[in-house]
Every structure is written in C-alpha cells, then in structure tokens.
Amino acid sequence: MYVMNAQVEALLKDQVSKEFFSAYFYLAIACCYRKQNLDGFSHWFTVQAHEEKEHALKILNYLQDNGTDVTLGTIEAPFADFGNSREPLVATLNHERHITELIHAIYKQARDTDDFRTCQFMEWFIAEQGEEEKNITDLMARFDLFGDDARSLYLLNEELKTRS
C-alpha cells in the first residue's frame, strides 16, 4: 500500500496554497492592467490566473486521491502597486522562477524518499514551469522591443486579447 512521505505531503499541501496565491497574484495584475486600459494584458493575466487555479486543484486532487486530508490555508493579498507597465511582467517572471524552485524542491524530496508516484506526478509541473517561464520571458521581450512606441504596444495589447 502506498504511503506518502510526510515531508512530501507537507510540501504538496503548501504548494496548493502557493498555486492559489499565484492565481490571486495574476488577478491583481490583471486589475492593474485593466485600470490602464490595457485590456489585452488584463485578459492574458486572467487566463494565467485560471491556469494557476487549475494547478492548485490538480495537486489537491492528487493528495486526496492518495488518501491525504487537506485543510486549505489563508491566502495573503498580493502586492500589486506597480510604478509602470513593465514592472508586473518582471514581478511575474520572478514569481514563476520562485514557483519553479518550489516545484523542484517537491520533486527532489520525493526522489530522495523513493516516492516514485509523486516524482511521476511532478514531472508534468516541471515541464509546465518551463513553459510558464518561457511565456513571460517572450512577452517581456516583445514589450521591451516596442519600448515607448504606443502603436506597437496597442497592437501587442490587441493580440493578447485573443489568447486563451
């Protein structure tokens, strides 16, 4: 019978809260962009928020499917006071890198305790984090390419409205 390592279980439970925080964080950024009439950026971050909620539920279901009781913790209010339109992108990249470190720590703990089931489960998240970091890095590069050109920023904003 499979029994999850207590440290792996604790890390996964904590990650559920971290993923819900990520969703909350991205909704706060979406609100910031909406306030600036950058609806495309707002839409992109709203889509990201939905993805983060799905990540949290995926981990929650994994824990429950493996006989673990989960009590949800408090989610802090995210920082969302940015000085310009680029700062939320930088904050997002830093946040995604932090989440990647947390995912790697879970995988490492699972590997070190021979929890092969959790290792296999976490491989999806490892690949997903690579995609998340690439997406925000690409968006930042395009944003930086346009600089202060309002027309180009408008076109990028319009393009982001269509992303799902």
Side-chain angles (χ1 to χ4, degrees), residues 2-145:
Y2 172 73
V3 177
M4 189 178 298
N5 173 273
Q7 289 175 305
V8 171
E9 181 180 315
L11 289 170
L12 285 167
K13 286 178 177 179
D14 188 51
Q15 193 62 34
V16 170
S17 294
K18 302 288 190 208
E19 296 293 337
F20 277 126
F21 173 83
S22 296
Y24 206 38
F25 178 54
Y26 293 148
L27 284 176
I29 293 174
C31 290
C32 288
Y33 280 123
R34 180 76 182 245
K35 199 173 3 177
Q36 297 174 46
N37 293 318
L38 292 170
D39 294 347
F41 282 86
S42 178
H43 171 75
W44 192 86
F45 276 96
T46 300
V47 169
Q48 295 306 116
H50 287 294
E51 282 187 19
E52 299 303 333
K53 182 188 75 160
E54 289 172 7
H55 297 170
L57 293 174
K58 188 173 187 140
I59 296 169
L60 178 69
N61 288 334
Y62 176 77
L63 286 163
Q64 292 172 331
D65 289 347
N66 285 284
T68 300
D69 291 327
V70 179
T71 302
L72 298 177
T74 303
I75 300 173
E76 291 184 41
F79 174 83
D81 187 19
F82 301 103
N84 61 51
S85 298
R86 187 178 189 278
E87 285 181 13
L89 303 177
V90 173
T92 298
L93 179 58
N94 290 336
H95 180 74
E96 287 299 339
R97 286 177 175 162
H98 173 68
I99 296 296
T100 297
E101 290 172 4
L102 296 173
I103 296 296
H104 289 175
I106 297 168
Y107 185 90
K108 183 179 183 323
Q109 184 63 39
R111 185 191 65 213
D112 291 351
T113 58
D114 295 335
D115 185 346
F116 303 114
R117 182 180 296 186
T118 299
C119 285
Q120 182 181 26
F121 173 73
M122 293 307 297
E123 286 175 3
W124 182 88
F125 286 92
I126 292 168
E128 178 69 9
Q129 281 309 118
E131 181 181 313
E132 297 285 356
E133 287 186 32
K134 181 180 181 335
N135 286 342
I136 190 61
T137 301
D138 288 352
L139 181 55
M140 286 177 67
R142 294 182 71 201
F143 186 93
D144 290 344
L145 179 66

Side-chain angles (χ1 to χ4, degrees), residues 146-158:
F146 300 142
D148 292 329
D149 180 31
R151 180 160 168 69
S152 295
L153 183 57
Y154 170 80
L155 293 174
L156 176 58
N157 183 63
E158 291 301 305

